[in-house]
């Protein structure tokens, strides 16, 4: 059974990125495409990307290793 869905996050927070585990559970046997534009965010580094804290407008590091673990 093929199923597709979209999960859009604009200016994702740390909590939103961690919620990707729910997306993987929902689409367990499907492919996940993660596209990070990062417009207005600091440049992606070797080991992490940036997420936002909407309350303080500060940026927080999010480990790429952790990201790939959540969506794989």
């Amino acid at each position: 059974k093929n199923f597709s869905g979209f999960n859009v996050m604009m200016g994702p927070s740390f909590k939103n990125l961690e919620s990707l585990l729910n997306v993987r559970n929902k689409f367990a046997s499907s492919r996940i495409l993660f596209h990070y534009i990062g417009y207005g965010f600091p440049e992606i580094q070797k080991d992490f990307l940036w997420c936002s804290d909407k309350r303080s407008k500060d940026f927080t590091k999010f480990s790429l290793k952790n990201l790939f673990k959540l969506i794989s």
Side-chain angles (χ1 to χ4, degrees), residues 12-32:
S13 67
F14 195 87
K15 185 177 178 181
N16 290 134
L17 288 172
E18 285 189 326
S19 73
L20 288 172
L21 180 58
N22 296 332
V23 174
R24 169 44 65 204
N25 290 336
K26 186 175 179 180
F27 303 106
S29 62
S30 299
R31 293 180 182 167
I32 291 180

mmCIF file of all heavy atoms in Angstrom, residues 12-32:
data_model
loop_
_atom_site.group_PDB
_atom_site.id
_atom_site.type_symbol
_atom_site.label_atom_id
_atom_site.label_comp_id
_atom_site.label_asym_id
_atom_site.label_seq_id
_atom_site.Cartn_x
_atom_site.Cartn_y
_atom_site.Cartn_z
ATOM 1 N N PRO A 12 11.961 25.426 12.143
ATOM 2 C CA PRO A 12 11.704 24.394 13.152
ATOM 3 C C PRO A 12 12.446 24.632 14.464
ATOM 4 O O PRO A 12 13.581 25.090 14.478
ATOM 5 C CB PRO A 12 12.188 23.112 12.489
ATOM 6 C CG PRO A 12 13.199 23.561 11.507
ATOM 7 C CD PRO A 12 12.735 24.903 11.030
ATOM 8 N N SER A 13 11.770 24.308 15.539
ATOM 9 C CA SER A 13 12.397 24.374 16.860
ATOM 10 C C SER A 13 13.053 23.025 17.149
ATOM 11 O O SER A 13 12.836 22.050 16.438
ATOM 12 C CB SER A 13 11.345 24.684 17.923
ATOM 13 O OG SER A 13 10.437 23.601 18.045
ATOM 14 N N PHE A 14 13.817 22.977 18.210
ATOM 15 C CA PHE A 14 14.467 21.734 18.630
ATOM 16 C C PHE A 14 13.402 20.658 18.854
ATOM 17 O O PHE A 14 13.543 19.527 18.411
ATOM 18 C CB PHE A 14 15.265 21.995 19.914
ATOM 19 C CG PHE A 14 16.244 20.921 20.258
ATOM 20 C CD1 PHE A 14 17.523 20.950 19.730
ATOM 21 C CD2 PHE A 14 15.893 19.891 21.112
ATOM 22 C CE1 PHE A 14 18.440 19.959 20.053
ATOM 23 C CE2 PHE A 14 16.799 18.897 21.434
ATOM 24 C CZ PHE A 14 18.071 18.930 20.905
ATOM 25 N N LYS A 15 12.313 21.037 19.513
ATOM 26 C CA LYS A 15 11.225 20.099 19.805
ATOM 27 C C LYS A 15 10.584 19.573 18.518
ATOM 28 O O LYS A 15 10.274 18.395 18.406
ATOM 29 C CB LYS A 15 10.185 20.788 20.680
ATOM 30 C CG LYS A 15 9.077 19.901 21.147
ATOM 31 C CD LYS A 15 8.125 20.662 22.061
ATOM 32 C CE LYS A 15 6.975 19.773 22.485
ATOM 33 N NZ LYS A 15 6.041 20.503 23.352
ATOM 34 N N ASN A 16 10.389 20.456 17.518
ATOM 35 C CA ASN A 16 9.819 20.025 16.240
ATOM 36 C C ASN A 16 10.712 19.015 15.536
ATOM 37 O O ASN A 16 10.226 18.045 14.968
ATOM 38 C CB ASN A 16 9.590 21.200 15.305
ATOM 39 C CG ASN A 16 8.476 22.112 15.734
ATOM 40 O OD1 ASN A 16 8.642 23.325 15.717
ATOM 41 N ND2 ASN A 16 7.352 21.566 16.142
ATOM 42 N N LEU A 17 12.014 19.253 15.562
ATOM 43 C CA LEU A 17 12.931 18.324 14.909
ATOM 44 C C LEU A 17 12.932 16.970 15.609
ATOM 45 O O LEU A 17 12.977 15.938 14.954
ATOM 46 C CB LEU A 17 14.339 18.904 14.845
ATOM 47 C CG LEU A 17 14.523 20.043 13.848
ATOM 48 C CD1 LEU A 17 15.897 20.675 14.004
ATOM 49 C CD2 LEU A 17 14.321 19.562 12.423
ATOM 50 N N GLU A 18 12.856 16.977 16.933
ATOM 51 C CA GLU A 18 12.797 15.708 17.651
ATOM 52 C C GLU A 18 11.501 14.952 17.354
ATOM 53 O O GLU A 18 11.448 13.739 17.454
ATOM 54 C CB GLU A 18 12.948 15.929 19.152
ATOM 55 C CG GLU A 18 14.374 16.246 19.538
ATOM 56 C CD GLU A 18 14.588 16.256 21.027
ATOM 57 O OE1 GLU A 18 13.677 16.651 21.771
ATOM 58 O OE2 GLU A 18 15.687 15.864 21.433
ATOM 59 N N SER A 19 10.448 15.666 16.963
ATOM 60 C CA SER A 19 9.166 15.016 16.663
ATOM 61 C C SER A 19 9.207 14.239 15.343
ATOM 62 O O SER A 19 8.242 13.560 14.997
ATOM 63 C CB SER A 19 8.035 16.046 16.627
ATOM 64 O OG SER A 19 8.116 16.845 15.459
ATOM 65 N N LEU A 20 10.314 14.313 14.617
ATOM 66 C CA LEU A 20 10.436 13.549 13.373
ATOM 67 C C LEU A 20 10.346 12.045 13.621
ATOM 68 O O LEU A 20 10.028 11.285 12.717
ATOM 69 C CB LEU A 20 11.744 13.889 12.655
ATOM 70 C CG LEU A 20 11.793 15.263 12.014
ATOM 71 C CD1 LEU A 20 13.191 15.561 11.499
ATOM 72 C CD2 LEU A 20 10.776 15.369 10.885
ATOM 73 N N LEU A 21 10.603 11.620 14.854
ATOM 74 C CA LEU A 21 10.454 10.212 15.192
ATOM 75 C C LEU A 21 8.998 9.779 14.981
ATOM 76 O O LEU A 21 8.737 8.675 14.507
ATOM 77 C CB LEU A 21 10.880 9.946 16.632
ATOM 78 C CG LEU A 21 10.783 8.504 17.118
ATOM 79 C CD1 LEU A 21 11.616 7.581 16.235
ATOM 80 C CD2 LEU A 21 11.237 8.399 18.556
ATOM 81 N N ASN A 22 8.051 10.655 15.271
ATOM 82 C CA ASN A 22 6.632 10.350 15.047
ATOM 83 C C ASN A 22 6.338 10.178 13.558
ATOM 84 O O ASN A 22 5.529 9.347 13.179
ATOM 85 C CB ASN A 22 5.742 11.441 15.633
ATOM 86 C CG ASN A 22 5.851 11.533 17.131
ATOM 87 O OD1 ASN A 22 6.138 10.549 17.795
ATOM 88 N ND2 ASN A 22 5.652 12.720 17.663
ATOM 89 N N VAL A 23 6.995 10.974 12.737
ATOM 90 C CA VAL A 23 6.817 10.862 11.288
ATOM 91 C C VAL A 23 7.340 9.510 10.819
ATOM 92 O O VAL A 23 6.703 8.823 10.026
ATOM 93 C CB VAL A 23 7.537 12.014 10.545
ATOM 94 C CG1 VAL A 23 7.472 11.816 9.048
ATOM 95 C CG2 VAL A 23 6.938 13.349 10.943
ATOM 96 N N ARG A 24 8.498 9.100 11.324
ATOM 97 C CA ARG A 24 9.067 7.802 10.939
ATOM 98 C C ARG A 24 8.146 6.671 11.380
ATOM 99 O O ARG A 24 7.914 5.729 10.640
ATOM 100 C CB ARG A 24 10.455 7.641 11.566
ATOM 101 C CG ARG A 24 11.065 6.247 11.464
ATOM 102 C CD ARG A 24 10.943 5.549 10.121
ATOM 103 N NE ARG A 24 11.649 6.182 9.054
ATOM 104 C CZ ARG A 24 11.308 6.033 7.768
ATOM 105 N NH1 ARG A 24 10.285 5.293 7.399
ATOM 106 N NH2 ARG A 24 11.981 6.627 6.824
ATOM 107 N N ASN A 25 7.580 6.755 12.554
ATOM 108 C CA ASN A 25 6.659 5.713 13.026
ATOM 109 C C ASN A 25 5.397 5.665 12.173
ATOM 110 O O ASN A 25 4.867 4.589 11.896
ATOM 111 C CB ASN A 25 6.297 5.932 14.496
ATOM 112 C CG ASN A 25 7.463 5.671 15.411
ATOM 113 O OD1 ASN A 25 8.381 4.944 15.075
ATOM 114 N ND2 ASN A 25 7.444 6.295 16.570
ATOM 115 N N LYS A 26 4.920 6.817 11.740
ATOM 116 C CA LYS A 26 3.696 6.889 10.928
ATOM 117 C C LYS A 26 3.926 6.310 9.535
ATOM 118 O O LYS A 26 3.044 5.680 8.964
ATOM 119 C CB LYS A 26 3.242 8.348 10.828
ATOM 120 C CG LYS A 26 1.919 8.537 10.139
ATOM 121 C CD LYS A 26 1.500 9.999 10.193
ATOM 122 C CE LYS A 26 0.179 10.207 9.494
ATOM 123 N NZ LYS A 26 -0.239 11.608 9.547
ATOM 124 N N PHE A 27 5.104 6.526 8.983
ATOM 125 C CA PHE A 27 5.435 6.056 7.640
ATOM 126 C C PHE A 27 6.604 5.080 7.713
ATOM 127 O O PHE A 27 7.644 5.273 7.089
ATOM 128 C CB PHE A 27 5.778 7.234 6.728
ATOM 129 C CG PHE A 27 4.697 8.265 6.631
ATOM 130 C CD1 PHE A 27 4.810 9.485 7.273
ATOM 131 C CD2 PHE A 27 3.553 8.003 5.911
ATOM 132 C CE1 PHE A 27 3.816 10.422 7.193
ATOM 133 C CE2 PHE A 27 2.544 8.936 5.820
ATOM 134 C CZ PHE A 27 2.672 10.154 6.463
ATOM 135 N N ALA A 28 6.438 4.027 8.469
ATOM 136 C CA ALA A 28 7.533 3.101 8.789
ATOM 137 C C ALA A 28 8.215 2.503 7.564
ATOM 138 O O ALA A 28 9.429 2.342 7.538
ATOM 139 C CB ALA A 28 7.021 1.998 9.696
ATOM 140 N N SER A 29 7.465 2.166 6.537
ATOM 141 C CA SER A 29 8.077 1.513 5.383
ATOM 142 C C SER A 29 8.202 2.452 4.181
ATOM 143 O O SER A 29 8.473 2.007 3.075
ATOM 144 C CB SER A 29 7.258 0.282 4.989
ATOM 145 O OG SER A 29 5.957 0.677 4.605
ATOM 146 N N SER A 30 8.037 3.736 4.408
ATOM 147 C CA SER A 30 8.107 4.719 3.316
ATOM 148 C C SER A 30 9.421 5.487 3.372
ATOM 149 O O SER A 30 10.131 5.468 4.366
ATOM 150 C CB SER A 30 6.942 5.705 3.432
ATOM 151 O OG SER A 30 5.717 5.039 3.340
ATOM 152 N N ARG A 31 9.698 6.167 2.299
ATOM 153 C CA ARG A 31 10.877 7.022 2.253
ATOM 154 C C ARG A 31 10.541 8.368 2.870
ATOM 155 O O ARG A 31 9.421 8.844 2.777
ATOM 156 C CB ARG A 31 11.322 7.253 0.813
ATOM 157 C CG ARG A 31 11.827 6.022 0.154
ATOM 158 C CD ARG A 31 12.244 6.337 -1.249
ATOM 159 N NE ARG A 31 12.695 5.129 -1.900
ATOM 160 C CZ ARG A 31 12.897 5.032 -3.188
ATOM 161 N NH1 ARG A 31 12.692 6.060 -3.969
ATOM 162 N NH2 ARG A 31 13.314 3.904 -3.709
ATOM 163 N N ILE A 32 11.543 8.980 3.469
ATOM 164 C CA ILE A 32 11.381 10.324 4.020
ATOM 165 C C ILE A 32 12.379 11.228 3.313
ATOM 166 O O ILE A 32 13.565 10.918 3.221
ATOM 167 C CB ILE A 32 11.632 10.348 5.540
ATOM 168 C CG1 ILE A 32 10.510 9.604 6.260
ATOM 169 C CG2 ILE A 32 11.734 11.778 6.041
ATOM 170 C CD1 ILE A 32 10.660 9.583 7.760
#
